[in-house]
Amino acid sequence: MSISTVTLHAATKKVAAVAAANEIWPVAEVAALFALPFNDLMYRAQQVHRANFDANEIELATLLSIKTGGCPEDCGYCPQAARYDTGVTAQKMLPVAEVIAAAQAAKDQGATRFCMGAAWRAPKDRDLDAVEEMVKAVKGLGLETCATLGMLQEQQAARLKDAGLDFYNHNLDTSPEFYGDVITTRDYQDRLDTLGAVRQAGLKVCCGGIVGMGESRLSRAGLIAQLANLNPYPESVPINHLVQVEGTPMYGQDVLDPLEFVRTIAVARITMPKARVRLSAGRRELGEGIQTLCYLAGANSIFYGDKLLITGNPEVEDDKALLGRLGIRSKTNQSA
Ligand code: SAM
Ligand code: DTB
Ligand code: SF4
């Protein structure tokens, strides 16, 4: 065999391996997990969770809206879209000092990650000057840093990485098939391109979606398959339960069976064994019993703090009390 044939053979094998890694979760297989009897699904999720994590430890991540409202996009769930009358008024970017104070308060409450969110379609290069300052300062407090600023170009991702950003949050939101029913001002490929730019810059990926928007179970399976087949899959997977905000097109939607939300968490755990699966928006509405089932299903991260970006979240004291009753400890930045 000539050297070039050997090289070609190795390259073909490598491509095949990458393709296999990309296609490990066909949608039908993910849908089959959703269809398992509930107890069997929980059992499998528990096995995967315990093989990869301390099952009694959780990550606490606090969110802050650094630029609120006035967004030009048409995401049908979002209270910050300028075109919907939701009572949210557009504000300028927060001063850096205010962001640092909020990050310090989050750290004092036990959070280890601080996520800064902006209601932008995409940041302008000049917007990033202030965000870089925020990232540097928050990182300097000893917190993990995350930002969610909309679509990103690779050189913008590189700037954030250089400033000390650890994670970038950008959600796929739903399956490719249902996506057009939710958002029309950017397409699925735009989202995948941003995720590619983020990876290319060496940032860790936080990417998930929303359930309860009127999608089918097959669509939920489609979302999870998309996430699980990213190569590599995201390090953090936020699963949001739609928070229905009056004035948005999704307001008044039939509320999803909460057990279906628990199933989604379990399927995310099974298909992305080493990811932090985050119980995200909608936790307050789900109540303590369903949240507990989510922890049992493998959720090991929450948004922690009395507010998400606009809407409410469980009170810190209530979360501490529930986690205490369950014997779940919070992760420190020294632990895994
Ligand atoms: N503007 C940026 C973007 O869209 O990428 C960043 C902020 S945006 C608010 C981040 C994510 O929050 C969305 O992708 C969506 O998954 C989630 N989200 C927004 N409104 C929500 C709601 N009402 N219920 C549940 N999740 C929501
Ligand atoms: C994510 O997946 N959920 C968070 C965070 N990433 C940025 C945002 C939830 C927003 C819920 C509605 C609101 O308060 O605006
Ligand atoms: Fe804008 Fe993000 Fe809300 Fe969509 S989800 S309207 S991009 S702030």
Side-chain angles (χ1 to χ4, degrees):
M1 210 188 284
S2 71
I3 290 175
S4 61
T5 317
V6 172
T7 315
L8 189 64
H9 190 60
T12 314
K13 271 172 106 176
K14 195 172 167 207
V15 169
V18 169
N22 262 341
E23 257 321 305
I24 42 178
W25 287 106
V27 177
E29 271 185 40
V30 180
L33 288 176
F34 268 94
L36 284 172
F38 189 79
N39 285 348
D40 292 350
L41 178 59
M42 296 293 275
Y43 180 60
R44 283 203 45 187
Q46 273 279 299
Q47 285 176 312
V48 174
H49 191 190
R50 286 169 181 275
N52 292 282
F53 286 98
D54 174 344
N56 299 308
E57 191 196 68
I58 200 168
E59 172 192 75
L60 305 178
T62 295
L63 271 173
L64 178 69
S65 180
I66 60 165
K67 161 69 186 79
T68 300
C71 184
E73 301 292 274
D74 72 349
C75 311
Y77 48 75
C78 188
Q80 304 200 69
R83 68 190 71 204
Y84 309 135
D85 187 8
T86 61
V88 172
T89 42
Q91 288 164 21
K92 286 212 257 301
M93 208 186 316
L94 288 184
V96 178
E98 226 173 283
V99 176
I100 299 172
Q104 182 63 57
K107 187 182 174 185
D108 293 344
Q109 291 284 13
T112 56
R113 189 179 301 182
F114 192 71
C115 179
M116 293 157 272
W120 288 322
R121 169 180 164 79
K124 297 186 185 68
D125 284 342
R126 66 169 183 275
D127 295 326
L128 289 186
D129 298 342
V131 178
E132 281 173 329
E133 263 193 78
M134 293 170 189
V135 169
K136 278 186 194 140
V138 173
K139 183 87 179 161
L141 296 176
L143 287 159
E144 285 183 327
T145 52
C146 180
T148 181
L149 315 171
M151 292 187 285
L152 217 56
Q153 302 293 325
E154 199 181 317
Q155 85 282 3
Q156 296 181 310
R159 278 182 66 182
L160 293 170
K161 168 82 183 159
D162 286 348
L165 191 71
D166 296 307
F167 291 82
Y168 194 77
N169 167 243
H170 197 68
N171 290 341
L172 288 176
D173 277 351
T174 191
S175 65
E177 294 74 19
F178 190 65
Y179 184 86
D181 289 19
V182 181
I183 300 148
T184 69
T185 48
R186 74 173 75 161
D187 58 31
Y188 215 76
Q189 190 58 46
D190 291 327
R191 291 185 183 257
L192 293 169
D193 290 348
T194 291
L195 295 173
V198 166
R199 272 280 177 232
Q200 205 59 40
L203 290 164
K204 286 183 265 195
V205 170
C206 172
C207 181
I210 313 178
V211 299
M213 298 191 293
E215 76 285 342
S216 63
R217 176 180 272 182
L218 189 60
S219 176
R220 288 187 283 281
L223 165 67
I224 300 292
Q226 283 286 329
L227 295 168
N229 291 331
L230 291 172
N231 190 15
Y233 59 76
E235 284 81 3
S236 291
V237 178
I239 305 290
N240 297 276
H241 188 277
L242 175 70
V243 178
Q244 298 200 12
V245 179
E246 201 168 348
T248 61
M250 300 235 159
Y251 183 71
Q253 188 72 52
D254 286 347
V255 175
L256 184 71
D257 173 0
L259 295 181
E260 189 66 15
F261 184 79
V262 181
R263 282 181 183 274
T264 310
I265 296 279
V267 174
R269 166 54 62 224
I270 294 166
T271 55
M272 293 170 273
K274 293 186 187 302
R276 283 270 164 198
V277 175
R278 183 172 309 122
L279 186 48
S280 303
R283 211 154 55 75
R284 197 176 56 175
E285 294 74 8
L286 289 171
E288 294 193 338
I290 295 294
Q291 286 180 65
T292 298
L293 283 177
C294 289
Y295 298 138
L296 207 56
N300 61 355
S301 177
I302 53 171
F303 282 127
Y304 173 72
D306 303 347
K307 203 172 164 200
L308 291 162
L309 294 172
I310 301 292
T311 63
N313 201 35
E315 302 287 327
V316 160
E317 291 313 318
D318 292 343
D319 274 338
K320 284 184 179 166
L322 177 60
L323 294 174
R325 279 158 67 206
L326 298 175
I328 298 179
R329 290 169 276 103
S330 52
K331 171 186 177 291
T332 63
N333 268 343
Q334 277 71 52
S335 56

